[in-house]
Structure formats: structure tokens, C-alpha cells
Amino acid sequence: MNPPYADPGSITRVAGIEVGHFTDPRRPTGCTAILARAGAVAGVDVRGAAPGTRETDLLAPGNLVEQIHAIVLSGGSAFGLDAASGAMRWLEEHSIGLDVGVARVPIVPAAVLFDLMVGDPAIRPDAAAGYAACAGASANDPEEGNVGAGAGAAVGKLFGMQRAMKGGIGTVSMTVGGVTVGALIACNAVGDVVDSDTAQVVAGARTADGLRLLDSRRALLRGELPQALLPGTNTTIGVVATDALLTKAQAQRLALAAHDGLARSIFPAHTQLDGDTLFALGTGASGKQASMLLLAALTAEVTARATLRAVQAARSVTTSEGLHLPSMADLA
């Protein structure tokens, strides 16, 4: 792991946030539920050109709903959006949701990534998976790597899936001035992952012999042409959260700032082949307001570090179909 950060923290260090994973034992796929039982102000920013999302329009600052109760991140491409239905059922059973007089309606935005090429594509997260992720949620530091929404993630696919590496899910938090900001990122990028502290590629497309990192940026600049890939077969998704007091407009600005961190840690980011989508949550549990400049800086930083941890914690997989995705540790 990155030596300067002996205790990287996690998004659950933000008061009011819980995380649960469901990882399917039949193939590498799964989903992750980020719970805010008491409600959280939320925003979203979509920068990739091929997103798969649910309930994102209601997060616009001018729209009615003020708080959400969970966010679901899932593998399985658009099929994985069904996991949010299971999260809604679990929340309703626990009387969590928007009080509309005759019922409590849980508000559960969601985003998905494409992992259908890693194992049997007929196996993908469903409502039962989303329910199980919520049932397993806690305020403990969540697992990282090949779990939840990161179970089937891969990175570095510009030159073909056969030269890609294993992606995953990672989380980091920082506390400054009595306010905590955390991020949880499921990294399934078409591009390479870069350590933002050193500017070195740490995971991504490999050379033709599969033994070394190619460095996609340098390869593209010297004229090597990427393989034709289907749009939407990638995508990095995630959540940043803070215990500071936020308005919906401020939450939206933090979602935007999170993409600055993504751009530091992935090259290329926000492509027409990715559906990069990041949510921001404010639980307000600290009771403190903080400078938006500070919050935005922390948001970008924890997003970049969590993206790095997603590949640091990942482990290699080999599917029954013969696809081998080595991990960062394998090439170190």
C-alpha cells in the first residue's frame, strides 16, 4: 500500500454512513450499498458518455427531494440497476424513507458498471443482491478489492481485454478541522490507473507479452492505436461523503470536484467508452459548516487515493472461459 498513508481510513469514518457488499460466489460480480439511515443531502455528477444510472434527476438542486437514504453501486451493466429495488425493500422493512403520509418511500439512486465479460454474463446482481448488501451494511471499515461492485472490475482495456488488469473497489477518508471526507470508488476504467503522488502508472494495459505495463498515454502519443471497444463496457463509479453541513447545490459541487480526483488517477478518464458517475453525500453529523474550497480539495484527494486503493487491493482472477486479469501485485 502507499507508505505515507498508514491508516487510509474509509468512507464509514464519516458519521452516518454504513457500507455493505454482496459478492456473487458464482462469478466475479456484485453490488455495494452505501447507507445513510438518517438521510443525507446528495448530489451527482456524470462525466462519462455511457452511464447507467437510476434516480439521478431528483438530485438536481432545484428538485423537490432533499435527502436520500442509500446509494447502490453495482456490476452487471444495466441489469444491475435492479439491485436498487432490493435496497428499497430492505429500507422500507426498516421504516427508512421519505414520509409521504401513507408510506415511507426510500430514495435510492444507483449507478452501474459493465463487468459482463468477466465470467458468465447471465449472472448479474439483482434485487436479492441489493437486499443482501443492505443487510450486511455496517459502520466498520468495508472490505476492498474483489468485492461488491468491484468484484468483476477490470482496468486498462484500451488495447483489448486480453491485455487488461484486475480493477476493484477502494475507500479512503481524511479529517481536517473537525470535518471528515471519505470516498468509495469502484474502478472499472478503460484507461490506466495512476498514482497521483508519483504520476506513475500502477495498473492498466499491458505490453503484448503481458509481462509489463504499457503506459497507455505514451503508447497513444507515439501512434499506437487502441482496439475498437464497445461504448459503456467500462465505467468508474463511486460515492464521496462528508459529515459537514451541505446544501444540495454544495453536494453537487462536491460531486463535480470528485471528478477532479478521478482525472488525476485515471488516464484517459471520462471517455465515450466509460459511464463515469460520482455521487456526493452530506450527513451533517458533525454539525459544522466548512469552507467549500477545503471540502472540494479533500474530495478530490480522497477520490484519487480511493481509486488507487481499488487496484492496490485487487487480486488476480482467471475465469472458466480463460480470461486472466493479473493484479497490480502480480506485476510489481
Side-chain angles (χ1 to χ4, degrees):
M1 297 299 179
N2 223 11
Y5 316 124
D7 180 10
S10 77
I11 195 171
T12 55
R13 306 285 179 94
V14 175
I17 297 295
E18 300 173 55
V19 171
H21 297 301
F22 169 81
T23 307
D24 201 305
R26 298 171 296 172
R27 83 159 177 98
T29 192
C31 62
T32 299
I34 300 91
L35 270 58
R37 294 181 189 234
V41 175
V44 66
D45 193 57
V46 180
R47 292 298 176 94
T53 59
R54 162 179 164 152
E55 295 275 49
T56 51
D57 283 353
L58 61 80
L59 301 181
N63 289 347
L64 177 66
V65 172
E66 286 295 324
Q67 293 191 324
I68 63 92
H69 307 97
I71 290 175
V72 171
L73 309 177
S74 182
S77 188
F79 296 109
L81 290 172
D82 191 34
S85 298
M88 284 190 70
R89 180 163 60 87
W90 187 90
L91 290 164
E92 183 185 24
E93 288 178 3
H94 290 78
S95 300
I96 300 169
L98 174 66
D99 188 353
V100 294
V102 295
R104 286 190 175 272
V105 181
I107 308 299
V108 185
V112 295
L113 57 77
F114 185 99
D115 60 7
L116 299 181
M117 291 185 287
V118 185
D120 183 352
I123 298 171
R124 55 256 182 166
D126 55 14
Y131 187 99
C134 289
S138 78
N140 297 328
D141 291 339
E143 289 184 77
E144 299 173 281
N146 298 20
V147 294
V155 299
K157 291 165 273 187
L158 277 176
F159 297 90
M161 195 68 177
Q162 74 281 0
R163 291 167 64 179
M165 291 177 64
K166 187 69 184 72
I169 198 164
T171 183
V172 165
S173 65
M174 298 180 70
T175 301
V176 176
V179 169
T180 300
V181 180
L184 182 141
I185 302 293
C187 185
N188 186 53
V190 71
D192 296 345
V193 176
V194 178
D195 183 333
S196 62
D197 280 341
T198 65
Q200 296 298 306
V201 176
V202 297
R206 292 173 288 145
T207 53
D209 61 11
L211 300 178
R212 299 178 306 281
L213 288 166
L214 176 67
D215 191 332
S216 295
R217 181 178 70 89
R218 296 184 184 278
L220 289 171
L221 293 177
R222 63 177 172 256
E224 295 187 35
L225 298 179
Q227 187 176 104
L229 297 171
L230 289 174
T233 53
N234 306 285
T235 298
T236 295
I237 52 179
V239 178
V240 294
T242 180
D243 55 9
L245 295 164
L246 296 181
T247 65
K248 283 183 75 176
Q250 289 172 327
Q252 186 179 49
R253 292 300 300 178
L254 290 189
L256 184 155
H259 281 282
D260 294 341
L262 210 63
R264 292 181 199 168
S265 53
I266 296 173
F267 180 88
H270 309 138
T271 74
Q272 74 272 27
L273 305 174
D274 293 281
D276 299 337
T277 300
L278 297 177
F279 298 92
L281 301 178
T283 67
S286 71
K288 297 181 179 181
Q289 293 182 326
S291 158
M292 279 299 293
L293 181 62
L294 173 63
L295 289 176
L298 291 175
T299 292
E301 186 67 21
V302 295
T303 300
R305 293 189 190 182
T307 303
L308 176 61
R309 284 189 64 82
V311 294
Q312 287 176 326
R315 295 295 176 260
S316 65
V317 299
T318 302
T319 68
S320 58
E321 293 80 9
L323 174 66
H324 177 64
L325 295 171
S327 68
M328 175 182 164
D330 294 333
L331 267 66

